[in-house]
């Protein structure tokens, strides 16, 4: 069982819907990440939160809105998505983010598979 | 040139075979290296870290060549359950001192009975 829990596992939404993806970890990690993965491609970084503050936004369209209510939770709010946004959305966490050695190991959740109609 | 490159495969090998994957990276400031495994429609999972001196975990051996900027993964005595996509992951300190995690495109392995 993964130590990073994501819900829902599957989501189908229309282009006018508003929905949210949720991620939770209880490993005491202080960095949390959202990745997007299309079929047969590697994960692409979207956002990084470090100590509940948004550290990195990889030029993600504003129809994706991240939120980190506390150190254990990470949400991704979705609004007015496009069919090309259909993908597997992966949440990950690591002990810290700002670290000179760059040695952090990512632990991934099982992902939320999103289909936009 | 991509920052982290892998041969996408697929590598089709018989059970019991030995197979090796390579991964090259372009950022000479990269500091740490990992191999992840991803099963079809599942999340990536850490297979092993890669240390400068090379390291082994059972049937899996990882090597790092900093001079040539590549890492490798050797799988001995392949099992059917080894069938997956193997992702090379490279960490570096990016702008502002933050960790930058870069994934390779992945190499697909299919072990055949």
């Amino acid at each position: 069982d993964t130590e990073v829990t994501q819900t829902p596992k599957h989501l189908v939404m229309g282009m006018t819907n508003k929905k949210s993806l949720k991620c939770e970890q209880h490993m005491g990690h202080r960095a949390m990440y959202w990745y997007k993965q299309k079929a047969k491609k590697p994960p692409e970084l979207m956002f990084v939160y470090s100590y509940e503050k948004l550290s990195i936004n990889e030029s993600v369209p504003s129809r994706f809105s991240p939120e980190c209510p506390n150190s254990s939770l990470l949400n991704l709010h979705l609004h007015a998505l496009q069919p090309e946004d259909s993908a597997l959305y992966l949440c990950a966490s690591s002990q810290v983010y700002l670290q000179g050695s760059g040695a952090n190991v990512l632990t991934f959740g099982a992902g939320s598979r999103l289909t936009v109609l | 040139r991509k920052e982290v490159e892998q041969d996408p495969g697929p590598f089709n090998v018989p059970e019991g075979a030995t197979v090796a994957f390579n991964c090259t990276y372009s950022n000479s400031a990269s500091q740490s290296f990992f191999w992840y495994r991803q099963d079809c429609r599942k999340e990536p999972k850490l297979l092993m870290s890669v240390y400068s001196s090379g390291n082994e975990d059972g049937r899996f051996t990882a090597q790092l060549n900093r001079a040539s900027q590549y890492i490798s993964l050797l799988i001995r005595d392949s099992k059917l359950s080894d069938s997956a996509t193997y992702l090379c992951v490279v960490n570096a300190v990016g702008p502002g001192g933050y960790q930058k995690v870069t994934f390779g495109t992945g190499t697909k392995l299919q072990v055949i009975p």
Side-chain angles (χ1 to χ4, degrees):
Chain A
D1 285 343
T2 185
E3 295 177 86
V4 177
T5 304
Q6 289 188 243
T7 55
K9 285 188 172 23
H10 299 275
L11 177 63
V12 179
M13 60 187 290
M15 290 190 282
T16 57
N17 291 157
K18 283 186 183 181
K19 297 285 186 184
S20 296
L21 306 181
K22 297 185 184 300
C23 175
E24 190 168 0
Q25 57 88 14
H26 294 288
M27 295 180 284
H29 288 177
R30 300 312 299 270
M32 296 185 78
Y33 309 72
W34 280 115
Y35 282 85
K36 172 182 177 179
Q37 188 175 26
K38 301 282 271 185
K40 301 185 179 179
K41 299 285 187 185
E44 293 176 15
L45 182 65
M46 300 174 72
F47 302 104
V48 181
Y49 273 83
S50 177
Y51 292 88
E52 294 103 74
K53 288 191 168 57
L54 183 64
S55 298
I56 298 287
N57 175 343
E58 290 284 304
S59 303
V60 179
S62 59
R63 57 186 184 269
F64 295 92
S65 174
E67 179 198 18
C68 190
N70 60 54
S71 61
S72 300
L73 293 173
L74 184 67
N75 298 323
L76 185 63
H77 302 299
L78 314 170
H79 174 53
L81 295 193
Q82 304 296 310
E84 60 264 28
D85 296 322
S86 299
L88 179 67
Y89 288 84
L90 292 160
C91 173
S93 69
S94 67
Q95 285 187 331
V96 291
Y97 184 64
L98 178 58
Q99 181 177 346
S101 68
N104 289 305
V105 173
L106 299 176
T107 300
F108 283 90
S112 292
R113 190 164 298 279
L114 172 67
T115 302
V116 182
L117 300 176
Chain B
R1 183 185 171 190
K2 290 183 181 159
E3 287 190 60
V4 181
E5 292 200 70
Q6 294 180 248
D7 182 340
F11 283 58
N12 296 315
V13 303
E15 268 187 292
T18 295
V19 61
F21 309 136
N22 283 335
C23 167
T24 57
Y25 60 94
S26 59
N27 184 353
S28 58
S30 298
Q31 296 177 318
S32 54
F33 309 88
F34 307 90
W35 283 102
Y36 278 72
R37 170 198 168 126
Q38 186 169 25
D39 292 287
C40 189
R41 302 179 73 82
K42 299 281 191 181
E43 77 274 21
K45 292 189 177 176
L46 179 68
L47 179 66
M48 58 196 303
S49 303
V50 187
Y51 302 121
S52 296
S53 53
N55 49 300
E56 189 173 307
D57 183 1
R59 298 181 292 109
F60 299 86
T61 300
Q63 299 274 359
L64 166 63
N65 185 320
R66 283 190 187 271
S68 302
Q69 295 185 198
Y70 78 83
I71 68 172
S72 63
L73 177 68
L74 184 77
I75 306 175
R76 290 182 298 279
D77 188 23
S78 300
K79 311 286 185 197
L80 293 176
S81 57
D82 294 333
S83 298
T85 295
Y86 290 82
L87 293 159
C88 169
V89 176
V90 175
N91 288 10
V93 177
Y98 290 105
Q99 177 185 208
K100 184 177 179 187
V101 176
T102 305
F103 282 81
T105 48
T107 299
K108 186 170 181 179
L109 172 67
Q110 185 70 48
V111 181
I112 305 161

